[in-house]
PDB file of all heavy atoms in Angstrom:
ATOM      1  N   LYS A  82      15.155  -7.199 -15.547  1.00  0.00           N
ATOM      2  CA  LYS A  82      16.474  -7.857 -15.629  1.00  0.00           C
ATOM      3  C   LYS A  82      16.515  -9.173 -14.863  1.00  0.00           C
ATOM      4  O   LYS A  82      17.371 -10.010 -15.108  1.00  0.00           O
ATOM      5  CB  LYS A  82      17.559  -6.928 -15.062  1.00  0.00           C
ATOM      6  CG  LYS A  82      17.869  -5.749 -15.957  1.00  0.00           C
ATOM      7  CD  LYS A  82      18.859  -6.146 -17.048  1.00  0.00           C
ATOM      8  CE  LYS A  82      19.295  -4.939 -17.841  1.00  0.00           C
ATOM      9  NZ  LYS A  82      19.532  -5.237 -19.251  1.00  0.00           N
ATOM     10  N   PHE A  83      15.644  -9.311 -13.846  1.00  0.00           N
ATOM     11  CA  PHE A  83      15.608 -10.568 -13.077  1.00  0.00           C
ATOM     12  C   PHE A  83      14.419 -11.431 -13.490  1.00  0.00           C
ATOM     13  O   PHE A  83      13.953 -12.253 -12.705  1.00  0.00           O
ATOM     14  CB  PHE A  83      15.566 -10.282 -11.569  1.00  0.00           C
ATOM     15  CG  PHE A  83      16.756  -9.514 -11.065  1.00  0.00           C
ATOM     16  CD1 PHE A  83      16.593  -8.428 -10.210  1.00  0.00           C
ATOM     17  CD2 PHE A  83      18.044  -9.868 -11.448  1.00  0.00           C
ATOM     18  CE1 PHE A  83      17.681  -7.711  -9.746  1.00  0.00           C
ATOM     19  CE2 PHE A  83      19.145  -9.157 -10.989  1.00  0.00           C
ATOM     20  CZ  PHE A  83      18.967  -8.078 -10.139  1.00  0.00           C
ATOM     21  N   ASN A  84      13.924 -11.160 -14.676  1.00  0.00           N
ATOM     22  CA  ASN A  84      12.837 -11.978 -15.228  1.00  0.00           C
ATOM     23  C   ASN A  84      11.503 -11.844 -14.491  1.00  0.00           C
ATOM     24  O   ASN A  84      10.669 -12.746 -14.527  1.00  0.00           O
ATOM     25  CB  ASN A  84      13.294 -13.442 -15.262  1.00  0.00           C
ATOM     26  CG  ASN A  84      12.697 -14.151 -16.452  1.00  0.00           C
ATOM     27  OD1 ASN A  84      12.325 -13.490 -17.432  1.00  0.00           O
ATOM     28  ND2 ASN A  84      12.567 -15.457 -16.367  1.00  0.00           N
ATOM     29  N   ARG A  85      11.329 -10.726 -13.792  1.00  0.00           N
ATOM     30  CA  ARG A  85      10.063 -10.512 -13.080  1.00  0.00           C
ATOM     31  C   ARG A  85       9.096  -9.766 -14.004  1.00  0.00           C
ATOM     32  O   ARG A  85       9.436  -8.701 -14.522  1.00  0.00           O
ATOM     33  CB  ARG A  85      10.308  -9.688 -11.798  1.00  0.00           C
ATOM     34  CG  ARG A  85      11.214 -10.379 -10.796  1.00  0.00           C
ATOM     35  CD  ARG A  85      11.643  -9.459  -9.669  1.00  0.00           C
ATOM     36  NE  ARG A  85      12.475  -8.357 -10.117  1.00  0.00           N
ATOM     37  CZ  ARG A  85      13.094  -7.491  -9.319  1.00  0.00           C
ATOM     38  NH1 ARG A  85      12.972  -7.605  -8.005  1.00  0.00           N
ATOM     39  NH2 ARG A  85      13.827  -6.519  -9.813  1.00  0.00           N
ATOM     40  N   PRO A  86       7.898 -10.322 -14.206  1.00  0.00           N
ATOM     41  CA  PRO A  86       6.929  -9.628 -15.060  1.00  0.00           C
ATOM     42  C   PRO A  86       6.346  -8.407 -14.360  1.00  0.00           C
ATOM     43  O   PRO A  86       6.459  -8.273 -13.133  1.00  0.00           O
ATOM     44  CB  PRO A  86       5.846 -10.686 -15.280  1.00  0.00           C
ATOM     45  CG  PRO A  86       5.950 -11.598 -14.104  1.00  0.00           C
ATOM     46  CD  PRO A  86       7.386 -11.587 -13.664  1.00  0.00           C
ATOM     47  N   ILE A  87       5.716  -7.540 -15.097  1.00  0.00           N
ATOM     48  CA  ILE A  87       4.999  -6.411 -14.495  1.00  0.00           C
ATOM     49  C   ILE A  87       3.545  -6.860 -14.364  1.00  0.00           C
ATOM     50  O   ILE A  87       2.916  -7.264 -15.331  1.00  0.00           O
ATOM     51  CB  ILE A  87       5.148  -5.131 -15.357  1.00  0.00           C
ATOM     52  CG1 ILE A  87       4.560  -3.910 -14.649  1.00  0.00           C
ATOM     53  CG2 ILE A  87       4.559  -5.274 -16.749  1.00  0.00           C
ATOM     54  CD1 ILE A  87       4.948  -2.574 -15.302  1.00  0.00           C
ATOM     55  N   ARG A  88       3.023  -6.891 -13.154  1.00  0.00           N
ATOM     56  CA  ARG A  88       1.684  -7.438 -12.940  1.00  0.00           C
ATOM     57  C   ARG A  88       0.756  -6.481 -12.198  1.00  0.00           C
ATOM     58  O   ARG A  88      -0.440  -6.460 -12.397  1.00  0.00           O
ATOM     59  CB  ARG A  88       1.772  -8.725 -12.095  1.00  0.00           C
ATOM     60  CG  ARG A  88       2.260  -9.907 -12.858  1.00  0.00           C
ATOM     61  CD  ARG A  88       1.127 -10.609 -13.608  1.00  0.00           C
ATOM     62  NE  ARG A  88       1.636 -11.685 -14.445  1.00  0.00           N
ATOM     63  CZ  ARG A  88       1.923 -11.586 -15.731  1.00  0.00           C
ATOM     64  NH1 ARG A  88       1.739 -10.433 -16.366  1.00  0.00           N
ATOM     65  NH2 ARG A  88       2.399 -12.601 -16.419  1.00  0.00           N
ATOM     66  N   ASP A  89       1.357  -5.723 -11.241  1.00  0.00           N
ATOM     67  CA  ASP A  89       0.531  -4.874 -10.380  1.00  0.00           C
ATOM     68  C   ASP A  89       0.927  -3.418 -10.563  1.00  0.00           C
ATOM     69  O   ASP A  89       2.105  -3.112 -10.717  1.00  0.00           O
ATOM     70  CB  ASP A  89       0.772  -5.158  -8.899  1.00  0.00           C
ATOM     71  CG  ASP A  89       0.954  -6.626  -8.599  1.00  0.00           C
ATOM     72  OD1 ASP A  89       1.865  -7.270  -9.178  1.00  0.00           O
ATOM     73  OD2 ASP A  89       0.203  -7.132  -7.772  1.00  0.00           O
ATOM     74  N   LEU A  90      -0.061  -2.560 -10.510  1.00  0.00           N
ATOM     75  CA  LEU A  90       0.219  -1.125 -10.501  1.00  0.00           C
ATOM     76  C   LEU A  90      -0.463  -0.512  -9.294  1.00  0.00           C
ATOM     77  O   LEU A  90      -1.672  -0.635  -9.110  1.00  0.00           O
ATOM     78  CB  LEU A  90      -0.298  -0.461 -11.781  1.00  0.00           C
ATOM     79  CG  LEU A  90      -0.016   1.045 -11.862  1.00  0.00           C
ATOM     80  CD1 LEU A  90       1.491   1.312 -11.962  1.00  0.00           C
ATOM     81  CD2 LEU A  90      -0.736   1.684 -13.051  1.00  0.00           C
ATOM     82  N   ARG A  91       0.352   0.114  -8.453  1.00  0.00           N
ATOM     83  CA  ARG A  91      -0.193   0.846  -7.305  1.00  0.00           C
ATOM     84  C   ARG A  91      -0.296   2.301  -7.701  1.00  0.00           C
ATOM     85  O   ARG A  91       0.714   2.920  -8.057  1.00  0.00           O
ATOM     86  CB  ARG A  91       0.724   0.713  -6.101  1.00  0.00           C
ATOM     87  CG  ARG A  91       0.803  -0.724  -5.710  1.00  0.00           C
ATOM     88  CD  ARG A  91       1.444  -0.928  -4.381  1.00  0.00           C
ATOM     89  NE  ARG A  91       1.294  -2.336  -4.082  1.00  0.00           N
ATOM     90  CZ  ARG A  91       1.079  -2.840  -2.895  1.00  0.00           C
ATOM     91  NH1 ARG A  91       1.023  -2.033  -1.854  1.00  0.00           N
ATOM     92  NH2 ARG A  91       0.932  -4.122  -2.725  1.00  0.00           N
ATOM     93  N   ILE A  92      -1.486   2.796  -7.676  1.00  0.00           N
ATOM     94  CA  ILE A  92      -1.722   4.157  -8.146  1.00  0.00           C
ATOM     95  C   ILE A  92      -1.983   5.053  -6.950  1.00  0.00           C
ATOM     96  O   ILE A  92      -2.976   4.878  -6.239  1.00  0.00           O
ATOM     97  CB  ILE A  92      -2.941   4.185  -9.103  1.00  0.00           C
ATOM     98  CG1 ILE A  92      -2.757   3.182 -10.247  1.00  0.00           C
ATOM     99  CG2 ILE A  92      -3.158   5.595  -9.628  1.00  0.00           C
ATOM    100  CD1 ILE A  92      -3.995   3.032 -11.148  1.00  0.00           C
ATOM    101  N   SER A  93      -1.085   5.992  -6.709  1.00  0.00           N
ATOM    102  CA  SER A  93      -1.325   6.963  -5.644  1.00  0.00           C
ATOM    103  C   SER A  93      -2.165   8.079  -6.245  1.00  0.00           C
ATOM    104  O   SER A  93      -1.701   8.803  -7.123  1.00  0.00           O
ATOM    105  CB  SER A  93       0.011   7.514  -5.121  1.00  0.00           C
ATOM    106  OG  SER A  93      -0.253   8.564  -4.214  1.00  0.00           O
ATOM    107  N   VAL A  94      -3.403   8.208  -5.785  1.00  0.00           N
ATOM    108  CA  VAL A  94      -4.311   9.150  -6.429  1.00  0.00           C
ATOM    109  C   VAL A  94      -4.206  10.554  -5.840  1.00  0.00           C
ATOM    110  O   VAL A  94      -4.730  11.503  -6.417  1.00  0.00           O
ATOM    111  CB  VAL A  94      -5.781   8.652  -6.404  1.00  0.00           C
ATOM    112  CG1 VAL A  94      -5.933   7.382  -7.235  1.00  0.00           C
ATOM    113  CG2 VAL A  94      -6.264   8.430  -4.978  1.00  0.00           C
ATOM    114  N   ILE A  95      -3.545  10.670  -4.697  1.00  0.00           N
ATOM    115  CA  ILE A  95      -3.370  11.990  -4.077  1.00  0.00           C
ATOM    116  C   ILE A  95      -2.247  11.904  -3.048  1.00  0.00           C
ATOM    117  O   ILE A  95      -2.046  10.845  -2.442  1.00  0.00           O
ATOM    118  CB  ILE A  95      -4.699  12.475  -3.425  1.00  0.00           C
ATOM    119  CG1 ILE A  95      -4.625  13.942  -3.036  1.00  0.00           C
ATOM    120  CG2 ILE A  95      -5.102  11.612  -2.222  1.00  0.00           C
ATOM    121  CD1 ILE A  95      -5.972  14.624  -2.947  1.00  0.00           C
TER     122      ILE A  95
END
Side-chain angles (χ1 to χ4, degrees):
K82 288 277 187 214
F83 300 134
N84 214 23
R85 298 170 295 187
I87 187 167
R88 284 275 175 265
D89 321 57
L90 181 66
R91 298 192 173 216
I92 306 173
S93 173
V94 295
I95 192 156

